[in-house]
Amino acid sequence: MSSRLSVRLSRLLNMIPYFIAHPGIGAAAAAADLGVTTRQLMIDLNQLWMCGLPGYGPGDLIDLSFSEESIEVTFSAGIERPLRLTSTEATALLVALRSIADMPGMVDPTAAHAAIAKIESAIAKIESASGGGSEPAASGQSRTPPAEAPAVATVRAALARGRAVDLVYYSASRDVVSERRADPIRIVLVDDNSYLQAWCRQAEGVRLFRFDRIEAATELAEASQPPEHATETMAGLDLFQDDPAVPVARLRIHPDHAWVLDQYPMHRVAVHPDGTLEATMRFATLDWMARLVLGFGPGVTVLGPEGLVAAVRDRSNAALAVYERAGYLEER
């Protein structure tokens, strides 16, 4: 939920400078630029009416004049003014920018590191002016930004130009490498990983492609044209959606293994009197899910479906047979 709110907050904060720079722009054109539907844009504009400065009276809140044909900012509440940061605020911004710069695909690394160098220099000047005695942080200006992976750079460029892409992608849920043709929608950050959100033509649905699993990318000459419903703000931001075509594993988890709920896309459904947890998890193939469960040892037990129970049992028996033949299970 927090990642969804942060996506919307970032968009709302960017809307006022955008509309000031494009006075009188129509809703359809603005929605296309901002990567949302016209309906979502109008919802956001109504939300902006309730944002502004403390006091929340006349002269405090943002004011707009908008319709489907024209959108104008009549009072910005100063949101477009450059910020004058304190040393603490600048340091927090620097930490956040460094984190984003390390996420593939989120920003142009050259531009990000140039900004980092400027902020470091500004912090040094602030501290020097306040008597902190700090020397200017020149090291940030001399650092060479890490090279961006070619596939990541290609995807970012295709998204900026509104082009479709061909991807060579490693799917962790299926443990296979496949080729996909996709229509990019936007770049998103989910659970500390960066993804390309796109319409996958093979799957005929919105999919998230994790940047560090894109092995190769080719920008196509044709335009990116995802269906309108696919560009809804929150469409596809769940890594595992409730697709009835995807099987669901039912698992019983020992209290000592409760950490798996934080590491895997599982949904807790019950807590039993003995402290064990019951959870569900969608999976792509029996083979992959059986290997995952076996890796947890006795900490996780499969309750269903029967096909997965059988797959785990067969793999366990096969492993025991190998150990028995090797003499490891002889009675002592």
Side-chain angles (χ1 to χ4, degrees):
M1 178 62 72
S2 61
S3 63
R4 296 183 176 186
L5 291 176
S6 65
V7 169
R8 189 174 186 214
L9 176 60
S10 177
R11 186 176 68 255
L12 288 172
L13 291 176
N14 281 297
M15 276 188 171
I16 298 304
Y18 170 84
F19 287 120
I20 290 174
H22 301 82
I25 190 171
D33 284 349
L34 296 169
V36 298
T37 62
T38 302
R39 176 178 174 274
Q40 182 64 53
L41 176 66
M42 303 308 283
I43 292 173
D44 288 343
L45 290 172
N46 277 295
Q47 181 72 48
L48 280 171
W49 260 348
M50 294 179 280
C51 301
L53 302 171
Y56 310 110
D60 298 323
L61 299 179
I62 292 170
D63 199 6
L64 309 105
S65 172
F66 63 90
S67 65
E68 294 279 350
E69 291 73 32
S70 176
I71 301 170
E72 290 194 42
V73 177
T74 55
F75 179 66
S76 67
I79 198 171
E80 82 282 9
R81 290 199 300 266
L83 296 176
R84 294 185 180 275
L85 303 176
T86 65
S87 178
T88 301
E89 291 170 337
T91 301
L93 179 61
L94 186 61
V95 171
L97 185 55
R98 282 174 174 161
S99 299
I100 294 175
D102 291 337
M103 294 286 181
M106 294 300 295
V107 293
D108 179 347
T110 301
H113 282 271
I116 287 172
K118 291 180 180 179
I119 295 172
E120 287 176 338
S121 179
I123 291 173
K125 290 178 180 178
I126 293 171
E127 293 179 345
S128 178
S130 64
S134 301
E135 293 295 325
S139 60
Q141 299 177 9
S142 61
R143 283 197 297 265
T144 301
E148 188 171 32
V152 174
T154 297
V155 170
R156 280 202 312 105
L159 178 63
R161 288 192 278 263
R163 303 282 183 81
V165 292
D166 279 339
L167 305 176
V168 177
Y169 186 73
Y170 169 67
S171 175
S173 63
R174 295 179 174 82
D175 195 21
V176 296
V177 175
S178 60
E179 296 183 359
R180 312 285 189 90
R181 179 157 293 186
D183 298 288
I185 298 172
R186 61 178 63 87
I187 293 170
V188 297
L189 183 64
V190 180
D191 294 335
D192 298 325
N193 288 302
S194 52
Y195 296 81
L196 169 69
Q197 183 190 12
W199 177 262
C200 178
R201 298 186 186 179
Q202 281 87 341
E204 296 186 344
V206 174
R207 294 293 184 268
L208 293 179
F209 298 98
R210 194 164 130 174
F211 269 103
D212 59 2
R213 293 176 182 165
I214 298 176
E215 298 188 356
T218 303
E219 181 180 336
L220 304 179
E222 60 185 282
S224 173
Q225 295 180 319
E228 184 176 352
H229 67 82
T231 60
E232 289 286 348
T233 306
M234 300 317 304
L237 292 189
D238 292 323
L239 295 179
F240 292 81
Q241 301 183 49
D242 291 332
D243 183 350
V246 180
V248 179
R250 291 191 300 108
L251 309 171
R252 176 166 286 200
I253 303 168
H254 191 274
D256 291 342
H257 280 65
W259 55 267
V260 302
L261 290 165
D262 297 323
Q263 300 294 323
Y264 295 89
M266 297 180 181
H267 299 280
R268 181 187 302 184
V269 296
V271 179
H272 296 288
D274 61 357
T276 59
L277 309 170
E278 190 170 333
T280 61
M281 176 177 172
R282 293 191 178 274
F283 61 95
T285 65
L286 280 175
D287 182 68
W288 182 89
M289 192 66 196
R291 284 189 286 116
L292 177 68
V293 172
L294 285 170
F296 296 137
V300 177
T301 303
V302 178
L303 303 178
E306 182 55 38
L308 180 59
V309 173
V312 171
R313 182 175 58 244
D314 292 345
R315 279 178 169 268
S316 298
N317 290 337
L320 288 172
V322 171
Y323 276 94
E324 187 174 9
R325 287 195 298 271
Y328 292 115
L329 299 182
E330 293 179 357
E331 292 186 5
R332 296 182 180 181

